[in-house]
Amino acid sequence: MSIAGNVGLGDLPRICPLISRRVQSSGDAGETRVVAVGPVRFGDVRPVVIAGPCAVESFEQTLAVARAVKAAGAEMLRGGAFKPRTSPHDFQGLGLEGLKILREVRRETGLPIVTEVMDTRLVETVSEYADMLQIGSRNMQNYPLLIEAGKSGKPVLLKRGMAASLCEWLGAAEYVAKEGNLDIVLCERGIKAYPSGEYSRNVLDLNVIPAVKEETFLPIIVDPSHATGVASMVETASCAAIEFGCHGLIIEVACDYPGAVKPRCDAAQAINPATLENIIGFIDARMERKVLRKAHAV
Ligand code: PEP
Ligand code: MN
């Protein structure tokens, strides 16, 4: 007896032919599509680091964090203007004002911006301000939203649903691809599993990195902040994800600035700029080792 809706990896060529490495002959083993966001290249040799606050809370805060992450070596800025919060009574983000702050901070720092869009009605507006649209974990299977994001023509950062299988995740990416938009970067951000919430927020599924690379040519990055929920775990999780072969990281950072207040969102998982510098130093050292190994082999 087969169970309706029960799919496995063998179904991927049917579910997502446009992004399947097995279907697309261009997707030779090992080859990744390079997704460009301005000068930033996901899927290229060097892993990309995106960093910034969980939420845009003020111009001063966003500019201070952006300057700090740029100085640490991050290539792109993150920051939510529209926040998906568990309680409707919690801070929901600054909305349009947040988008304007992000645009101003990009002008000041030159860092391209990724920010979340949660609503089909806002895809056009968010696209005017952002360099890359983020589809959050809670919206991974919001199919109308995926279609609109695909139509926008903007690069899309598609986070994995917190309980999504690989087939469901890649099926979601196919919705974006079907609109003619192959500029998709996948993001593992931790899944709900047995120990979730006891000593960490979610369970970081490192195994999915090689699995994704086997099934699709799209780049995959990791969010160690939401995966762990604990600032002291973020550096180790980042380095482990890099070792597993991901194409980048997206990390939440907080820093001091005149009149600084505790972040209103996800404060417990925000690392400081010095820790971000360590993580980027780890990537630097790994890249150097690679170059040395190559030189040795010639
Ligand atoms: C975020 O990155 O701001 C976020 C809310 O993450 P997720 O959708 O993975 O929970
Ligand atoms: Mn957050």
Side-chain angles (χ1 to χ4, degrees):
M1 189 184 74
S2 66
I3 303 169
N6 197 22
V7 292
L9 296 183
D11 297 298
L12 283 177
R14 176 185 60 79
I15 294 172
C16 53
L18 299 173
I19 61 162
S20 165
R21 189 184 284 290
R22 297 180 199 283
V23 175
Q24 303 298 327
S25 51
S26 60
D28 316 343
E31 266 205 27
T32 305
R33 178 183 172 82
V34 172
V35 175
V37 181
V40 179
R41 293 167 65 83
F42 294 88
D44 215 340
V45 188
R46 188 186 162 89
V48 170
V49 175
I50 307 172
C54 175
V56 173
E57 298 183 28
S58 68
F59 174 68
E60 293 72 22
Q61 167 245 14
T62 309
L63 183 61
V65 177
R67 284 186 170 147
V69 303
K70 185 178 178 181
E75 290 183 72
M76 220 171 133
L77 180 68
R78 63 147 289 140
F82 297 93
K83 295 302 302 177
R85 302 306 301 280
T86 300
S87 169
H89 305 291
D90 286 341
F91 174 58
Q92 303 286 304
L94 297 179
L96 186 59
E97 194 196 331
L99 294 179
K100 289 183 177 161
I101 290 172
L102 285 169
R103 183 167 64 183
E104 192 56 25
V105 169
R106 177 182 48 205
R107 212 180 54 78
E108 292 273 342
T109 62
L111 292 173
I113 280 152
V114 60
T115 196
E116 180 162 352
V117 58
M118 297 197 293
D119 187 325
T120 48
R121 294 166 298 185
L122 287 169
V123 171
E124 215 176 298
T125 305
V126 177
S127 299
E128 277 171 35
Y129 292 85
D131 299 289
M132 184 180 215
L133 302 179
Q134 179 173 324
I135 307 277
S137 190
R138 291 154 193 80
N139 270 314
M140 188 205 81
Q141 282 173 305
N142 181 337
Y143 298 124
L145 183 61
L146 294 168
I147 291 167
E148 287 309 309
K151 284 186 181 154
S152 76
K154 287 271 171 188
V156 173
L157 181 63
L158 180 59
K159 294 192 118 188
R160 182 185 188 178
M162 55 190 80
S165 67
L166 180 51
C167 289
E168 289 164 340
W169 190 12
L170 296 184
E174 184 82 358
Y175 272 83
V176 178
K178 188 161 177 274
E179 298 310 315
N181 186 354
L182 275 172
D183 288 334
I184 306 162
V185 176
L186 300 163
C187 178
E188 156 64 23
R189 47 77 72 204
I191 51 172
K192 294 261 185 216
Y194 170 58
S196 295
E198 190 183 31
Y199 47 81
S200 65
R201 186 172 179 177
N202 290 294
V203 174
L204 174 53
D205 182 10
L206 290 170
N207 295 345
V208 86
I209 300 166
V212 160
K213 289 167 86 173
E214 183 106 0
E215 298 299 338
T216 179
F217 49 81
L218 297 176
I220 173 169
I221 69 168
V222 166
D223 174 346
S225 307
H226 293 91
T228 64
V230 182
S232 63
M233 293 184 183
V234 168
E235 184 176 342
T236 312
S238 297
C239 298
I242 294 291
E243 287 295 347
F244 264 71
C246 70
H247 300 107
L249 300 165
I250 179 166
I251 305 177
E252 291 187 351
V253 174
C255 73
D256 217 10
Y257 57 95
V261 288
K262 186 175 165 229
R264 298 174 74 181
C265 202
D266 289 350
Q269 69 194 33
I271 60 167
N272 56 38
T275 307
L276 182 69
E277 217 173 315
N278 288 344
I279 295 166
I280 294 173
F282 175 84
I283 296 174
D284 289 339
R286 201 170 183 279
M287 296 305 295
E288 272 169 35
R289 278 204 307 276
K290 247 188 176 168
V291 172
L292 277 178
R293 261 204 309 276
K294 258 201 184 143
H296 215 70
V298 180

